[in-house]
Amino acid sequence: MKTAPHNPLLDKLHPYPFERLRALNAGIKPNPAYRPISLGIGEPKHPAPKLIEDALMGAMKGLSGYPATAGEPVLREAICAWLQRRYGLQLDPASQVLPVNGSREALFALAQTVIDPSRPGATVVCPNPFYQIYEGAALLAGAQTAFANSDPARNFAANWSEIDEATWGRTQLLYVCSPGNPTGAVMPLSEWQTLFELSDRHGFVIASDECYSEIYFGEEGPQSAPLGGLEAAAQLGRADFRNLIAFTSLSKRSNVPGLRSGFVAGDASIIKRFLLYRTYHGSAMSPIVQAASVAAWNDEAHVVANRAEYRAKFAQITPLLAAHMKVALPDAGFYLWAEVPGHIHAGDDVAFSQGLLAQYNVAVLPGSLLARHAHGINPGAGRIRLALVAEQSECMEAAERIAAYIQSFSPKV
């Protein structure tokens, strides 16, 4: 009997980090004396804003019609108005923005739109560590991957100089993530200029993942807000945003990961092709989600309040952990990227996470699972990612347990 055919590219996919972690932890029995706390998954836990819930419920009559893949004009106009308020940008709502069902599916789908696998050595460049969707999107588009490791000496910014000229010459798509996951690093204007020059020279598309852009720790105002890719392009005289697509989501900004709503914006010629792909792919956003998204993009008060919660949480927890391990406030985002003390499990991030789970019932994500071995190292090894997404008291309790676990390895006097 013949077996059913399948796409052979699926066989190239790596297990997702959480799958790998579940397998690694299969034999561990967490200490029942402690209630379970997870800092492993970057899923916002703050309450969803009522104005978004109300808009969602008030739009139920929209279920009686098919939505357009391009989205309603009122949504595209709300997105453009937000881009103007946030970054000072003027984009055409008809040609330069497109609503998407969360940034994750769009990050994947863009690769299927722009990659030409018939060209020899088709390559996608990713930061390392990275969001695994980038790699999966590249492999399923028929491309190979190349990685630029994060550099601890430069606040974990990706070291793009590790990519040689021959690899850049084969590159068709570059994923960047700023603020970064898991490091929180924000790319400065000089780094954007370098990448734009490389894109101009080699013709690759830049996909700028900016889903953490609205969680930062300085005072309110443009001086503290992370620089965005479109903003950087405009500052460098690239008003057409050539070969640049930015991805933004409501999931983190507005605490609505279940809404599955975001947008892409940038180069109108790429947006046109992306819309064609999405029309055939069946990626139209539900009318009720569009209505809720309009309400979300038009309101900033709930975002300021959300940011204040994270600011207070990080201000309390970061110094507590910094007294016991090497960790610092990131540029932005809601992760702490902490170094495992070298005297504990020889700095092994997986062993540390397993011991912490077994003894104190706190789940964290080993950094090595978020990265690939490249340029002689795994740049996530020896680190753990802590997602401070739960309410402050729960995150504080988890931090105290982590401190206690580290202290249990201190020499007894």
Side-chain angles (χ1 to χ4, degrees):
M1 180 183 297
K2 289 185 177 180
T3 58
H6 75 283
N7 183 348
L9 295 176
L10 287 168
D11 298 330
K12 294 186 175 184
L13 297 179
H14 295 264
Y16 215 58
F18 302 108
E19 289 179 56
R20 294 173 63 193
L21 187 59
R22 277 193 294 271
L24 289 167
N25 291 345
I28 295 175
K29 294 182 179 179
N31 187 343
Y34 297 93
R35 67 185 180 96
I37 298 178
S38 176
L39 303 184
I41 300 178
E43 179 182 49
K45 298 295 185 184
H46 297 175
K50 189 175 184 302
L51 70 94
I52 298 177
E53 294 178 345
D54 290 346
L56 192 70
M57 297 303 295
M60 287 299 174
K61 290 183 179 179
L63 291 173
S64 61
Y66 283 115
T69 305
E72 293 299 318
V74 66
L75 174 56
R76 297 197 304 272
E77 289 163 5
I79 290 167
C80 286
W82 180 79
L83 286 166
Q84 199 285 324
R85 293 193 304 273
R86 172 66 169 82
Y87 297 111
L89 301 172
Q90 297 287 340
L91 275 79
D92 178 11
S95 65
Q96 290 182 302
V97 299
L98 192 63
V100 297
N101 298 310
S103 56
R104 175 175 177 159
E105 67 91 1
L107 287 162
F108 176 86
L110 183 75
Q112 319 313 305
T113 303
V114 305
I115 297 296
D116 178 1
S118 69
R119 287 166 52 185
T123 299
V124 173
V125 174
C126 307
N128 194 27
F130 62 102
Y131 184 38
Q132 197 160 318
I133 296 301
Y134 310 156
E135 179 188 59
L139 296 175
L140 286 173
Q144 61 191 14
T145 51
F147 295 102
N149 292 344
S150 67
D151 183 359
R154 296 171 50 245
N155 196 28
F156 304 105
N159 185 6
W160 304 112
S161 66
E162 290 184 328
I163 308 299
D164 59 40
E165 194 70 9
T167 301
W168 284 125
R170 297 189 299 271
T171 297
Q172 297 185 28
L173 177 62
L174 165 66
Y175 283 107
V176 300
C177 186
S178 180
N181 173 11
T183 68
V186 172
M187 286 174 45
L189 187 63
S190 59
E191 195 168 336
W192 279 110
Q193 183 169 13
T194 296
L195 295 181
F196 290 147
E197 290 171 355
L198 285 165
S199 173
D200 288 344
R201 189 153 70 245
H202 300 290
F204 58 76
V205 173
I206 299 175
S208 180
D209 182 355
E210 302 175 12
C211 70
Y212 298 95
S213 68
E214 303 313 290
I215 301 172
Y216 51 89
F217 306 105
E219 296 298 320
E220 289 296 326
Q223 70 282 357
S224 295
L227 178 70
L230 299 176
E231 181 183 22
Q235 290 182 15
L236 293 169
R238 304 170 67 89
D240 59 353
F241 309 118
R242 60 187 177 276
N243 283 338
L244 173 65
I245 297 292
F247 299 71
T248 305
S249 169
L250 289 173
S251 295
K252 280 79 174 175
R253 173 189 181 269
S254 300
N255 294 314
V256 285
L259 192 67
R260 309 313 305 134
S261 177
F263 69 81
V264 298
D267 187 326
S269 65
I270 298 174
I271 293 286
K272 183 178 180 179
R273 293 193 294 272
F274 198 34
L275 174 58
L276 174 63
Y277 173 87
R278 297 178 68 76
T279 300
Y280 276 83
H281 193 58
S283 299
M285 181 183 287
S286 163
I288 63 173
V289 173
Q290 291 194 53
S293 301
V294 170
W297 291 119
N298 283 340
D299 182 77
E300 206 65 28
H302 75 277
V303 184
V304 173
N306 185 48
R307 196 156 45 236
E309 281 195 62
Y310 280 112
R311 188 180 292 121
K313 197 185 309 185
F314 274 75
Q316 185 178 22
I317 292 168
T318 307
L320 187 157
L321 289 173
H324 303 280
M325 62 196 311
K326 191 173 181 180
V327 64
L329 188 72
D331 290 342
F334 55 45
Y335 301 116
L336 286 176
W337 187 233
E339 185 176 321
V340 174
H343 69 284
I344 301 177
H345 307 298
D348 186 321
D349 52 299
V350 172
F352 182 93
S353 72
Q354 290 176 321
L356 179 65
L357 179 64
Q359 294 186 39
Y360 286 95
N361 212 347
V362 174
V364 299
L365 189 59
S368 59
L369 304 188
L370 291 165
R372 296 285 177 260
H373 195 273
H375 311 288
I377 64 168
N378 179 320
R383 295 189 176 273
I384 54 172
R385 191 189 76 175
L386 310 174
L388 302 189
V389 291
E391 64 179 30
Q392 185 161 338
S393 61
E394 184 169 304
C395 289
M396 191 66 182
E397 182 179 346
E400 289 168 346
R401 292 189 207 173
I402 293 170
Y405 181 63
I406 294 171
Q407 286 177 314
S408 72
F409 288 85
S410 299
K412 300 296 187 290
V413 179

